[in-house]
Amino acid sequence: MALSCKSRRRVFREIASQSYVNWLVYDSTPLYDRTSLYALESDIRVVAETWFKQDEHKAVEPFVHSLPLAYIRFDAHDRYAGPTTYEMEILFRLFLLKECYGWDHETALIEYLTQHPDFCEQIGLESVPNQSTLWRSWHHRFTTDLQDTVKTAARTTLTKAQNAGVAVPREPERQSRSRGDENEESDPDNQTVLEQAETVTEQVSRVALPAFSLDRGEGCEIHENAYWGLQTYLGLRENLAVNEGARSFIHESSRDRTPLGHAHREHVRGLSIEQIREMYRQAVGRLLDKVAETEEFFRAGIVAIDITESDPFTGDRAGHEDEIIGTKEKTDQYAYQWATIQLVGNAVPIVLDARPVRKGDTRKEIVEDLLDSAEAVVHVDNVLMDREFDSQHILEMLSQRSLSYVVPKRMQTSEKAQAKRLLKRGKDRYETDRKLHLGNNEWHLTTLIYRRKENSEHDDHRQYSVFMTNRGSGLLTEYGYRWEIESGYKSIKRFMAATTSKHFGLRFFYFAFACLLYSIWRAVDLLVQVELTDEYDHSPIVTADNTLTLVKKETGIG
């Protein structure tokens, strides 16, 4: 079967339906722009993962000429200033093809293009470049960073194609660091991954889950692991409440005795918020000790802090006034809110801590509390937050902890006026120092960076976003990592048991346990990747469902 418009359409429909994927990555936050090579590499990885699973897509060349690149602005990575014959997008595809084949010289690429005029037509190449043009383009026109991106994209393309059983022009390089093995190895097949995941999941679940305890006393007929097995089982099914889940659990569990729904719910309700948080921190601490056995963990250093809503509900609010925050939508519904701190960037995205948000809690108190937990178990360098944490007192507190930060600023009168001036001048970026008043004649010095968003729907000052940082503009590129916490929330909520209960502690426990299941999944994936490939790629090779299935097996489900 040949490549078709229908098969291409299926690829992007499947990508759009994946809850854990934000694609296009460059457009996932207000900061990413169309020049980001990190975003380009991530986008290529996302597309390739789905592309080669289609029956019609059985060769690398169609991927190279079909890869969406129209949104990328290559001019920031183009060393040539004057007019040129060949556009950067076309050259990128040519060098991607060259890297996929592993050709050492431009002559082999020219011979391929001469023999395949259809490929030239598909990428918009009207004439085949000569050898000297290609050599100069690669060595003098492409920046070093863009060259590295081409090589990364080629390795990603070959690896994803090979994983899907597609014949590839050459074996992708493997970057072995810990074993000194100079031999190149292909990515492991699905059966190998699953077998390794089973071993690792057993180790990880035995490390993390014992930190949770119901403190039921001695002589209980139902083993405590049965309760955690039931909670995990609920996380395997979307919208499954505990009563219905407990009835199904009886048949799927290998245990002689399993808890009834109401008993499970009452035991969980008996846990205080402080107990839940302490158990969670202990479990995550054990989890981190496990992943710290690999060198990949020590790339940690960037954390993101955010607040998410639980499922909204309606009805009587009596007794919950201090716990109800509301919802973002102006309706009669209300919701509880939870705050988390999560590793992002190059680190495995483990949720380090979670806490409820109550009325009267200041954003500064929330950030301090979460940072205290995080800094007790990992080294933190940079903190990423969204604009609801736009507070000079929070920023000053971060600086006093010797932490870097990037926080979007809400645009007040002065920022709107500056954005209007920038728009009038046609400037895309502007940086200025600003003193923020702390009171008592004390000030916090920060840097404001105005950044114009590509293809904004607005035609006024709203085209600009303003960011505050205490480490200069170089730190801004890291703000794009913050989208990982939003992506994480999607998976976490997928792991939560359903409930109609308004009980604050019960709902928080469901959220915290889902955070733990998510963190176990990502820890298992890291350990499996390192064991099988000696490196870590953020795209999981172990699925969440596989991990949860193996966890429930460990906790007594058949």
Side-chain angles (χ1 to χ4, degrees), residues 12-29:
F12 297 106
R13 283 177 175 172
E14 183 174 336
I15 291 172
S17 68
Q18 294 172 352
S19 62
Y20 57 90
V21 168
N22 285 334
W23 185 82
L24 299 158
V25 171
Y26 89 91
D27 202 28
S28 297
T29 78

Side-chain angles (χ1 to χ4, degrees), residues 173-186:
E173 306 99 330
R174 307 307 306 163
Q175 298 177 348
S176 178
R177 291 188 298 271
S178 61
R179 301 190 177 189
D181 185 0
E182 300 299 327
N183 297 324
E184 294 182 353
E185 300 177 4
S186 60

Side-chain angles (χ1 to χ4, degrees), residues 27 39 62 179 217 243 250 259 387 484 510:
D27 202 28
R179 301 190 177 189
N243 285 341
I250 293 173
R387 59 176 41 86
E484 294 175 11
Y510 280 7

Side-chain angles (χ1 to χ4, degrees), residues 27 48 54 177 314 341 343 355 390 406 516 545:
D27 202 28
Q54 303 298 317
R177 291 188 298 271
T314 59
I341 184 167
L343 289 170
R355 58 157 287 163
D390 166 11
V406 180
L516 180 63
D545 281 345

Side-chain angles (χ1 to χ4, degrees), residues 2 24 35 92 101 106 124 127 220 232 326 330 340 355 405 423 436 472 474 503:
L24 299 158
T35 67
F92 184 91
Y101 271 87
E106 293 76 24
S127 61
C220 297
T232 304
K330 302 298 182 182
T340 63
R355 58 157 287 163
Y405 63 77
L423 183 62
L436 304 176
H503 193 278

Side-chain angles (χ1 to χ4, degrees), residues 21 39 74 84 115 143 157 184 189 196 210 219 222 225 269 292 324 417 421 454 483 500 514 530 542 544 546-547 551:
V21 168
F74 287 105
T84 57
Q115 296 170 8
T143 64
T157 301
E184 294 182 353
D189 59 34
Q196 186 63 37
I222 300 178
N225 277 358
R269 282 178 172 175
I324 294 170
R421 288 192 290 269
E454 293 282 345
W483 72 269
T500 58
V530 171
V542 180
N546 280 345
T547 303
V551 169

